[in-house]
Amino acid sequence: MSARARIVLLAGDGLSTRVMYHGLREEFDVVEVVLEDKPSALRMLRHRARKLGVMQTLGQLGFILYSRLLVRASRSRIEQLLHRHGLSDAPIPTQVIRRVASANGRGVADRLRQHAPQAVVVNGTRILSQKLLAAVDAPFINTHMGITPAYRGVHGGYWALANNDRAHCGVTVHLVDAGVDTGGILYQATITPEADDNFATYPILQLVQGLSLMKAALRDAAAGRVVPRTGEGSSRQWYHPGLIGYWKTRLRHGVK
């Protein structure tokens, strides 16, 4: 029997990381989970305001606060989906966790070189530096909740539905580069939301598909046969919807 492929999970703390860890550890040797602290919310808002304008940023902030309530209201549906697909969001064992201020910190590169993984799974981190990406001779592989290149950024599944573009409502597993979801595509799949699904549960449907795609990509990495491809069509980066825009879309088109 061949040895289990060694991987490091480089991630932000949250449900998707917990689900990813438990899903991958069944087949792969997850030698360490490096969890980075969340970036400063104030700094992020200031950056967003400079890039998009104050009013648009305030609208996004309003929606972010609303979406937290939506997640709480959707908890039973989220648990139902996890149970249906045999996924676990139990806490990650503390002995495999290493917490860091930033994934780009010098210590992270040192840890990767020490572990010499066959692949680094990225999940919910800030944009990674080119220096970190060059730290080890292994692919950095990310699960993006959208079909690239058309839906880079955040909430790709929602935006596809909001644009009546169901053919591109899905998930992408891709190589990580220094851009925003611009790395070579490894696998993609679409999702089909049900009547009970909404903004809070689309990512769970994407995670279900994405976990299977990630496993396929890691098998490829272990066998040395990672073959990325370039996506077709126009490329666009998406952000959070504004609260007013979200409700207009929901009332007009039924996209929750």
Side-chain angles (χ1 to χ4, degrees):
M1 182 177 180
S2 60
R4 288 156 55 95
R6 291 168 55 84
I7 66 172
V8 170
L9 178 55
L10 182 58
D13 202 355
L15 181 146
S16 68
T17 294
R18 297 192 297 272
V19 171
M20 184 68 67
Y21 168 79
H22 289 291
L24 295 180
R25 68 187 292 269
E26 298 171 356
E27 182 175 346
F28 306 97
D29 183 12
V30 185
V31 295
E32 188 166 74
V33 180
V34 180
L35 293 180
E36 75 165 5
D37 295 338
K38 289 185 178 181
S40 165
L42 181 59
R43 182 178 300 176
M44 181 185 71
L45 288 172
R46 286 175 175 171
H47 172 75
R48 191 71 58 81
R50 288 194 298 268
K51 187 170 186 177
L52 302 176
V54 173
M55 294 307 297
Q56 187 171 346
T57 301
L58 288 175
Q60 292 177 355
L61 178 59
F63 177 76
I64 290 171
L65 295 176
Y66 169 76
S67 67
R68 293 177 180 176
L69 298 176
L70 191 59
V71 169
R72 293 179 185 175
S74 304
R75 186 62 208 178
S76 62
R77 173 60 174 169
I78 292 172
E79 292 176 352
Q80 179 190 56
L81 289 171
L82 294 177
H83 179 74
R84 177 189 298 177
H85 296 282
L87 301 179
S88 171
D89 68 339
I92 298 172
T94 56
Q95 62 267 28
V96 301
I97 293 176
R98 182 177 182 83
R99 295 188 177 273
V100 297
S102 169
N104 292 319
R106 180 179 177 182
V108 176
D110 292 340
R111 297 293 295 182
L112 292 181
R113 283 189 284 266
Q114 176 182 335
H115 288 303
Q118 290 167 280
V120 180
V121 175
V122 180
N123 192 77
T125 68
R126 67 194 73 198
I127 300 300
L128 301 182
S129 68
Q130 194 61 52
K131 186 175 181 180
L132 178 65
L133 295 174
V136 289
D137 185 20
F140 287 66
I141 306 176
N142 179 59
T143 305
H144 171 64
M145 301 307 177
I147 296 292
T148 61
Y151 295 96
R152 299 184 298 107
V154 294
H155 312 308
Y158 166 80
W159 283 118
L161 295 174
N163 291 325
N164 194 28
D165 186 14
R166 288 182 176 270
H168 289 94
C169 180
V171 59
T172 300
V173 168
H174 65 92
L175 296 178
V176 179
D177 60 17
V180 180
D181 307 318
T182 53
I185 296 168
L186 301 179
Y187 292 98
Q188 291 180 319
T190 57
I191 63 168
T192 305
E194 300 175 8
D196 291 337
D197 290 310
N198 58 43
F199 188 92
T201 65
Y202 302 147
I204 306 301
L205 298 174
Q206 292 167 302
L207 182 58
V208 169
Q209 293 283 5
L211 183 56
S212 295
L213 302 183
M214 178 60 76
K215 289 179 179 179
L218 292 175
R219 294 182 199 117
D220 291 343
R225 58 170 185 257
V226 174
V227 182
R229 62 179 176 84
T230 302
E232 300 177 355
S234 61
S235 176
R236 179 173 174 182
Q237 181 178 350
W238 297 81
Y239 299 89
H240 296 286
L243 184 57
I244 294 175
Y246 167 81
W247 274 103
K248 284 182 177 179
T249 299
R250 182 165 178 169
L251 293 174
R252 291 175 181 174
H253 305 296
V255 180
K256 296 185 286 183

